[in-house]
């Protein structure tokens, strides 16, 4: 069975032969553990990969987001980084005052996808291939305006906020529509919404402002026969029913932060859990036995003829032996 078929059967709860896998590899791990990373990738190759961008026109960026110093992304947002291998933070937002709103210029270069090259890439692979772009409206809003400003804006609701959100959203629609016209198997979007035990904003506020946008992203995927994935960190239990309602196929979230029993009771068999092993405690500090027990717990409580993808993030603090053990355990679970 090809990786493409394996992932599809998992998303459709159609009894895949094994748990599909995907390593989320941060540059930090490649810098600090190159030999271990190579062994993990060779022993447990990914079933899910992302297509290269294959852009006809390169975006205007400056620097490297994963080395110490300053990096300017394709929107003109400037990130400052103190730690090699990890992406930095925006310290000086592009729009510190609303009279600077005209500075926002969505990067048209990211829409110049060479669809023939993407399609060729897809035809030459048996992997399940995600689009090479992942819109993130809430995070983009923070990159452009600054997190503190955004939280105040969401409370005060100035008309300029509506304009900025609309600009970001309309651009995201174009980006997803562009990728939906290629032969990739799935589209993806992302936004980190959770703190340790609650959302960053009220669920009702989220439903009014962001749920309609996400539904349009899902509708684009559905209209072209694509699967649709989302990533969101933190405790997001309060909006998971909404994400299922709008038609999301797979969700990457911090399932140990939310609680496996809680997730199993309400969502098992209704959405695919796209990872993950606890990276706050288990991956950096857990024993091999604890890692294997965690994998058994995930599959025992969340798997139902599919619905589980072994997505494991290898980032700061994680022990390479724990990443290896996690994939080994997932590989032998069925």
């Amino acid at each position: 069975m090809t990786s493409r078929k394996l992932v599809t059967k998992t998303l459709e709860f159609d009894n895949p032969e094994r748990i599909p896998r995907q390593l989320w590899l941060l540059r930090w791990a490649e810098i600090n553990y190159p030999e271990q990373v190579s062994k993990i990738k060779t022993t447990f190759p990914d079933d899910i990969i992302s297509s290269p961008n294959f852009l006809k026109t390169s975006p205007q960026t400056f620097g490297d987001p994963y080395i110490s110093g300053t990096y300017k992304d394709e929107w003109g947002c400037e990130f400052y980084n103190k730690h090699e291998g990890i992406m930095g933070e925006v310290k000086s937002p592009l729009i510190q005052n609303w009279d600077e709103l005209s500075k926002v210029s969505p990067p048209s270069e990211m829409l110049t996808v060479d669809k023939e090259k993407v399609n060729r890439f897809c035809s030459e692979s048996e992997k399940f291939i995600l689009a090479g772009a992942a819109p993130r409206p809430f995070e983009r809003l923070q990159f452009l305006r600054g997190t503190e400003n955004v939280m105040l804006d969401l409370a005060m609701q100035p008309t300029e906020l509506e304009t900025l959100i609309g600009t970001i959203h309309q651009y995201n629609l174009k980006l997803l529509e562009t990728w939906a016209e290629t032969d990739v198997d799935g589209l993806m979007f992302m936004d980190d919404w959770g703190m340790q035990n609650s959302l960053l904003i009220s669920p009702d506020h989220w439903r009014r402002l962001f749920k309609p946008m996400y539904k349009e992203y899902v509708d684009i995927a559905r209209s072209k026969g694509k699967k649709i994935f989302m990533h969101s960190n933190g405790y997001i239990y309060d909006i998971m029913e909404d994400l299922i309602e709008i038609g999301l196929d797979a969700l990457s979230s911090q399932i140990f932060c939310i609680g496996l029993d809680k997730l199993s009771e309400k969502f098992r068999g209704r959405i695919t859990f796209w990872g993950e092993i606890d990276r706050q405690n288990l991956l950096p500090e857990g024993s091999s036995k604890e890692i294997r027990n965690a994998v058994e717990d995930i599959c025992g409580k969340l798997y139902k003829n599919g619905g589980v993808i072994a997505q494991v993030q290898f980032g700061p603090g994680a022990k390479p032996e724990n990443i290896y053990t996690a994939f080994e355990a997932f590989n032998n679970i069925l």
Side-chain angles (χ1 to χ4, degrees):
M1 184 179 294
T2 65
S3 292
R4 181 173 287 120
K5 185 67 174 176
L6 183 71
V7 175
T8 300
K9 287 174 76 69
T10 296
L11 297 170
E12 296 177 354
F13 302 94
D14 189 22
N15 294 296
E17 293 180 357
R18 63 170 172 82
I19 305 287
R21 56 183 172 252
Q22 184 184 26
L23 173 66
W24 278 26
L25 186 64
L26 274 67
R27 182 85 65 83
W28 174 91
E30 295 180 289
I31 293 170
N32 290 280
Y33 299 104
E35 293 182 6
Q36 294 91 330
V37 165
S38 178
K39 181 181 179 181
I40 292 167
K41 292 171 70 175
T42 300
T43 309
F44 306 108
D46 285 342
D47 293 300
I48 301 174
I49 62 175
S50 294
S51 170
N53 277 326
F54 293 122
L55 299 179
K56 296 177 182 178
T57 305
S58 298
Q60 301 298 307
T61 62
F62 173 80
D64 186 324
Y66 298 105
I67 66 173
S68 298
T70 300
Y71 167 72
K72 185 174 289 187
D73 75 4
E74 61 273 11
W75 285 74
C77 298
E78 192 171 274
F79 294 77
Y80 177 68
N81 190 4
K82 294 195 295 184
H83 303 286
E84 191 169 359
I86 308 169
M87 193 166 183
E89 297 180 346
V90 173
K91 297 297 185 181
S92 299
L94 194 67
I95 312 169
Q96 300 195 48
N97 301 295
W98 282 121
D99 57 10
E100 298 174 309
L101 190 57
S102 60
K103 290 183 178 180
V104 177
S105 179
S108 58
E109 298 91 348
M110 302 301 293
L111 305 177
T112 65
V113 177
D114 190 323
K115 297 174 185 176
E116 290 186 4
K117 287 185 178 180
V118 173
N119 293 346
R120 191 178 309 120
F121 177 83
C122 294
S123 68
E124 294 172 352
S125 175
E126 294 185 338
K127 307 287 188 180
F128 185 97
I129 300 175
L130 290 173
R136 51 207 303 178
F138 179 54
E139 292 183 15
R140 177 54 60 188
L141 192 62
Q142 294 176 75
F143 297 158
L144 289 167
R145 183 85 173 104
T147 300
E148 289 187 17
N149 288 332
V150 167
M151 292 305 179
L152 289 171
D153 294 339
L154 290 173
M156 302 298 291
Q157 293 288 296
T159 56
E160 293 90 347
L161 175 66
E162 182 178 345
T163 300
L164 181 55
I165 289 177
T167 297
I168 295 169
H169 179 54
Q170 290 305 311
Y171 174 80
N172 288 343
L173 292 176
K174 293 176 183 177
L175 187 61
L176 287 174
E177 286 166 354
T178 297
W179 279 97
E181 292 171 354
T182 71
D183 292 340
V184 297
D185 301 295
L187 305 183
M188 175 186 168
F189 61 97
M190 62 188 293
D191 269 325
D192 288 343
W193 277 111
M195 296 186 287
Q196 194 65 27
N197 54 16
S198 69
L199 292 181
L200 287 164
I201 65 176
S202 75
D204 288 342
H205 208 161
W206 179 89
R207 292 182 183 108
R208 183 168 62 83
L209 289 174
F210 292 92
K211 182 179 178 180
M213 290 194 286
Y214 291 166
K215 185 179 187 307
E216 289 191 57
Y217 302 160
V218 173
D219 288 347
I220 288 172
R222 294 285 182 224
S223 70
K224 297 295 184 179
K226 311 294 185 186
K227 300 299 185 182
I228 183 76
F229 290 53
M230 180 186 178
H231 167 73
S232 187
N233 278 331
Y235 185 94
I236 60 168
Y237 180 83
D238 296 331
I239 59 173
M240 287 182 65
E241 187 69 48
D242 298 271
L243 295 172
I244 292 172
E245 179 189 315
I246 64 175
L248 193 69
D249 288 299
L251 177 63
S252 168
S253 61
Q254 291 180 276
I255 55 179
F256 282 82
C257 179
I258 299 170
L260 297 181
D261 290 328
K262 198 170 187 177
L263 293 171
S264 176
E265 181 180 355
K266 193 169 183 180
F267 301 121
R268 182 180 182 225
R270 300 179 62 205
I271 192 168
T272 290
F273 293 90
W274 182 26
E276 66 177 7
I277 297 291
D278 174 17
R279 51 190 159 90
Q280 292 180 297
N281 301 295
L282 282 178
L283 289 180
E285 300 174 3
S287 66
S288 294
K289 182 178 180 181
E290 287 173 324
I291 297 296
R292 286 192 291 269
N293 288 343
V295 170
E296 291 176 3
D297 212 17
I298 290 170
C299 295
K301 293 176 179 177
L302 302 182
Y303 185 89
K304 188 177 182 180
N305 303 320
V308 170
I309 294 172
Q311 178 261 69
V312 182
Q313 180 171 303
F314 193 177
K319 295 178 182 178
E321 60 268 29
N322 282 348
I323 305 295
Y324 188 96
T325 298
F327 281 121
E328 186 178 51
F330 274 117
N331 205 50
N332 296 325
I333 201 74
L334 296 185

